[in-house]
Amino acid sequence: MIRTLAISNYRSLLNLVLPLGALNVITGSNASGKSNLYRAKVVGGDRAGRRGQCLGK
């Protein structure tokens, strides 16, 4: 299970560290970055095959 999601300099997400639990619900107004958070996780998931790997820019 992913316990923390850290994103830097990806679209509108400049410096984000997000602790995660078993179930997470992301809400917010339009254009607040919800889709960017999802995209960063998907791109990161495609690049990271190993546990604890830090993804570069």
Side-chain angles (χ1 to χ4, degrees):
M1 180 170 86
I2 299 173
R3 296 174 195 242
T4 304
L5 183 62
I7 303 166
S8 294
N9 300 321
Y10 182 77
R11 297 180 177 239
S12 64
L13 306 173
L14 300 179
N15 188 20
L16 174 71
V17 177
L18 184 63
L20 300 174
L23 175 66
N24 302 280
V25 178
I26 307 300
T27 64
S29 59
N30 292 343
S32 64
K34 299 179 302 290
S35 293
N36 290 340
L37 179 64
Y38 170 76
R39 287 184 186 120
K41 196 270 180 219
V42 169
V43 168
D46 289 344
R47 294 170 118 187
R50 294 178 290 284
R51 187 176 184 175
Q53 179 177 351
C54 181
L55 302 176
K57 296 176 187 169

